[in-house]
Amino acid sequence: MNILLCPPKILLQHSREEWSTLQRIAPLVIATCSSQLEAVSQHLGNDISLRFYENFNDNPLVELDLYHFAKTKRVTGVYFLAEIDVLRAARISDRLRLTHGREQAALVFRDKFLMKTLVQQHQMTIPAMARVSSATEIAVFIAEHGYPCVIKPNDGRGSQGVVVVRDDESLNQYLLQLTPLHFHNLLIEQFIAGEAYQINALYLQGKPVFISASRATVSCLDFLSGSTLGLVMEDDNPLHQKLIAYTRRLAEEVFPCESNTLLHLEVFVDGQQNIIFGELACRLGGCFVNEELGAAFGLNPRMTWLAACLNHDYSLEVIQREAQRRVGQLNVPPASGTLISQPSECPLPFVLRYRATGVIGRRYDPMKLTNGEIVSAIVEGKDSREVETNLQTLTQWVMDHTHWE
């Protein structure tokens, strides 16, 4: 038997048949949040064993309960699909003695200071950074490196709590919101001006099946602030090849990656096409990334990875796949207000997949994490320029047909 820690959002993105297929490979128990108990239960039926927990993301009893459950069920593997579960899945696995040192390896993917220190030790460029535990230490960093700077939780996820400080006034406003507890977990970095790129990869048996680089049309902070986020898959050009090589070096030489792994890398590229490290996660990107990659490469990354983890004799031919089509991803955040109407389908011919998740009549506030989008879609084009044009056309169509009060 195997345990998978997985939030409802990801569970609902995959069909009952996909989950049942995994169940036929090896028995699987899924631990998730009770906030969507009814929706998840109806979606998966009786084929999958589910364990529901209140306040799943922040409940410290989850890993204790799963540990004791695993001891009685002869569990052979503990897996995860979301950032929040990286460390606790590793702790359960190590405590069960299924693995040794997985928690320590996982910590490098969750502690941003350790992560970037490791990258810097391999002579790869990172922003100037420091742990800070007081307003004075923040001021000293700014005196040395200047404005703007970025202050964030050292173990944050989904851009929650990330602030760009541009002058003394905005610094003072930020500091007034903090309590002494915040200062135990803060990282400050030099702000990097450049294009933001997201790279996702699937490794099986230590070899890359695919590595895909996409340019973000806005930053994650802009997305949190209400801007529509587009991801445009790069054409096979020199920068794309450079990004692929950069990712391979991180995965194969720098980080303690397991032989079967999903990776999500965020970097910046400056005007001289220098790559500056942002962060690396040992899971797939959020939003509609799994669907985007599926449309491009002709396989389901999450399900393929889980199948390989559950079956060590998994027979997928491990060769690096080339993209079958050029695609892009659109994510539309909610506005502040009550959602009056939203189209459930999209007739535009270049739209491969369209999903509207807004709830009519619900009052929305700005997102706190980069996972609260109300529309996601995949578009295609003959090259990255056409993909971006199609994303712009789709964005306007969604805005024209969505109404708020």
Side-chain angles (χ1 to χ4, degrees), residues 14 17 23 43-44 67 79 86 118 127 141 153 160 214 260 292 297 308 315 337 344 375 379 392:
H14 298 278
E17 178 55 34
Q23 180 76 2
H43 184 68
L44 296 182
Y67 166 73
Y79 305 103
V86 171
L118 178 62
F141 182 91
Q160 187 175 30
S214 295
N260 296 330
E292 172 195 342
F297 294 95
S315 61
S344 59
V375 171
V379 307
Q392 293 168 352

Side-chain angles (χ1 to χ4, degrees), residues 271-286:
Q272 290 72 49
Q273 295 206 327
N274 297 310
I275 300 174
I276 299 95
F277 181 84
E279 56 185 72
L280 180 68
C282 52
R283 46 84 182 164
L284 205 60

Side-chain angles (χ1 to χ4, degrees), residues 45-221:
N46 298 320
D47 295 337
I48 303 293
S49 178
L50 296 165
R51 295 180 71 84
F52 289 98
Y53 297 89
E54 293 184 5
N55 193 27
F56 180 69
N57 285 350
D58 301 310
N59 185 346
L61 295 179
V62 169
E63 59 187 273
L64 293 184
D65 181 75
L66 288 176
Y67 166 73
H68 291 297
F69 169 80
K71 282 184 66 177
T72 64
K73 298 296 183 180
R74 296 184 180 180
V75 165
T76 57
V78 183
Y79 305 103
F80 63 89
L81 287 173
E83 191 79 6
I84 193 67
D85 297 319
V86 171
L87 276 172
R88 59 183 177 182
R91 285 192 291 262
I92 296 168
S93 183
D94 278 357
R95 191 176 179 196
L96 291 169
R97 298 186 178 180
L98 301 174
T99 53
H100 176 72
R102 179 174 282 179
E103 180 186 0
Q104 191 61 37
L107 186 62
V108 178
F109 291 95
R110 293 296 295 125
D111 184 311
K112 299 182 193 300
F113 184 82
L114 291 180
M115 176 191 300
K116 294 182 181 185
T117 299
L118 178 62
V119 172
Q120 188 177 45
Q121 288 171 348
H122 285 77
Q123 289 73 53
M124 302 174 80
T125 305
I126 65 167
M129 65 165 188
R131 291 184 190 270
V132 285
S133 57
S134 68
T136 296
E137 290 182 355
I138 292 175
V140 168
F141 182 91
I142 292 172
E144 180 177 356
H145 299 285
Y147 291 111
C149 63
V150 181
I151 308 176
K152 63 180 71 174
N154 187 50
D155 62 351
R157 60 188 179 87
S159 298
Q160 187 175 30
V162 179
V163 174
V164 179
V165 177
R166 300 185 181 279
D167 51 35
D168 288 345
E169 181 179 356
S170 61
L171 174 62
N172 291 340
Q173 291 176 350
Y174 171 73
L175 291 175
L176 285 173
Q177 302 173 24
L178 299 185
T179 67
L181 185 61
H182 287 102
F183 283 106
H184 292 286
N185 190 37
L186 282 184
L187 184 72
I188 188 169
E189 296 178 345
Q190 188 177 23
F191 180 85
I192 300 298
E195 295 275 13
Y197 284 82
Q198 297 188 12
I199 301 98
N200 289 279
L202 168 64
Y203 272 74
L204 297 182
Q205 300 173 25
K207 299 177 182 178
V209 176
F210 68 76
I211 303 175
S212 178
S214 295
R215 178 176 55 82
T217 58
V218 299
S219 72
C220 289
L221 290 181

